[in-house]
Amino acid sequence: MPFLEHLEDLKLEQLALEHIVPALLDQGFFYTDNFLGEIVGHMVLAQVKQMHCSGVLKDGQLAGRGSGVSKRHIRGDKITWVSGTEKDTEAINFLLKLIDKLISLCVGRLGKNVIRDRSKAMVACYPGNGAGYVKHVDNPNGDGRCVTCIYYLNKHWNAKEHGGVLRIFPEGKSYVADIEPLFDRLLLFWSDRRNPHEVQPSFSTRYAITVWYFDSEERAEAKRRFRDLTAHSSQIGSLIEDLYNALDK
Ligand SMILES: Cn1c(O)c(C(=O)NCC(=O)O)c(=O)c2ccccc21
Ligand SMILES: [Mn+2]
């Protein structure tokens, strides 16, 4: 293996074992800066901007503003999902592969969690009109998501002026964690109720790429529950149909 690649792998292993694992086990979240470096970071940013300009990002949630009848709806986040194999997403794919490698170096050391696969990547943009994302838990009910991983892409971000801070409220802790969505910053945190979080109102365009890593056991269980639910609801559907038919007689 070429020397530089070997060096990269050593750095990644060090980041995983000496920083990410201890921080996740102790605080429940961890972020690092300069993850890809200026050049590759810019390539990812360029591809995300390209997606934004070409209208690929679809309106996410409606961010209601004000109350009562004059409920003026400001457009909230815009998102799209990429697997990284689409046209003009090579740099995003490189990022995803690197994060996959980083997570695979942590596996076996994250307690009982066995992580084998992940979601597609969610590319998100807050338009900078004051929209944010209300306080929530990513995975409150055991849908299988174990670790949330967010890569931020915002150059010269100044929270005082632009807002857009991610505030995590670590469960059972007396402090909150305010994380600025800075360019080339990678953040990881447990997706479950340990980490309620909010995106504060953003006053400049705010880009991020998120992937969720699944705990294979919890994911399999969640799929089983979903299959039962859909089977059950189809039974209810046919029962209602029988009732209607009986009433029609
Ligand atoms: C756009 N956006 C999000 O930004 C966050 C989120 O927690 N973001 C944290 C952040 O960007 O710092 C989400 O968790 C989320 C979940 C479903 C759909 C869209 C979503
Ligand atoms: Mn979230």
Side-chain angles (χ1 to χ4, degrees), residues 19 30 35 138 147 159 175 212 237:
H19 299 279
F30 174 79
F35 183 60
D138 282 353
V147 176
Y175 60 86
W212 283 277

Side-chain angles (χ1 to χ4, degrees), residues 17-223:
L17 303 188
E18 295 173 22
H19 299 279
I20 295 176
V21 169
L24 277 181
L25 294 178
D26 188 32
Q27 282 93 18
F29 65 91
F30 174 79
Y31 66 85
T32 184
D33 287 319
N34 310 312
F35 183 60
L36 293 180
E38 278 292 313
I39 296 164
V40 181
H42 266 102
M43 290 166 69
V44 176
L45 175 57
Q47 293 194 328
V48 169
K49 281 181 174 175
Q50 164 65 29
M51 293 167 84
H52 188 196
C53 298
S54 59
V56 165
L57 304 184
K58 298 289 170 252
D59 289 328
Q61 34 128 20
L62 255 182
R65 212 19 201 258
S67 56
V69 284
S70 71
K71 205 168 174 63
R72 185 165 56 82
H73 281 302
I74 56 164
R75 270 284 160 222
D77 54 289
K78 297 167 161 321
I79 65 171
T80 191
W81 295 89
V82 299
S83 59
T85 55
E86 296 85 348
K87 193 168 140 331
D88 299 334
T89 64
E90 298 76 8
I92 296 176
N93 191 45
F94 176 82
L95 166 71
L96 300 180
K97 290 287 176 283
L98 204 61
I99 302 173
D100 287 344
K101 209 169 183 183
L102 189 61
I103 293 291
S104 66
L105 287 163
C106 299
V107 173
R109 293 178 174 79
L110 291 176
K112 61 183 181 1
N113 292 298
V114 174
I115 295 172
R116 263 197 283 274
D117 53 6
R118 63 163 162 82
S119 69
K120 288 172 79 168
M122 179 181 77
V123 178
C125 168
Y126 287 84
N129 57 359
Y133 206 98
V134 291
K135 186 175 175 182
H136 65 284
V137 169
D138 282 353
N139 172 17
N141 307 314
D143 66 21
R145 288 180 289 170
C146 169
V147 176
T148 302
C149 190
I150 308 180
Y151 180 71
Y152 295 110
L153 286 152
N154 308 290
K155 295 291 289 180
H156 318 305
W157 190 271
N158 171 1
K160 305 240 172 331
E161 201 184 331
H162 306 135
V165 164
L166 171 72
R167 173 163 287 182
I168 304 182
F169 305 79
E171 188 185 41
K173 299 278 183 6
S174 57
Y175 60 86
V176 295
D178 282 351
I179 297 156
E180 298 190 23
L182 303 183
F183 174 77
D184 203 18
R185 171 169 282 184
L186 185 74
L187 164 71
L188 301 99
F189 58 89
W190 299 120
S191 310
D192 62 17
R193 293 169 188 264
R194 284 171 281 183
N195 289 312
H197 53 282
E198 67 186 11
V199 177
Q200 296 180 342
S202 303
F203 298 97
S204 181
T205 305
R206 182 190 189 274
Y207 293 117
I209 299 174
T210 303
V211 279
W212 283 277
Y213 286 87
F214 294 120
D215 171 90
S216 42
E217 178 53 41
E218 185 181 313
R219 185 66 177 160
E221 177 53 34
K223 281 181 176 172

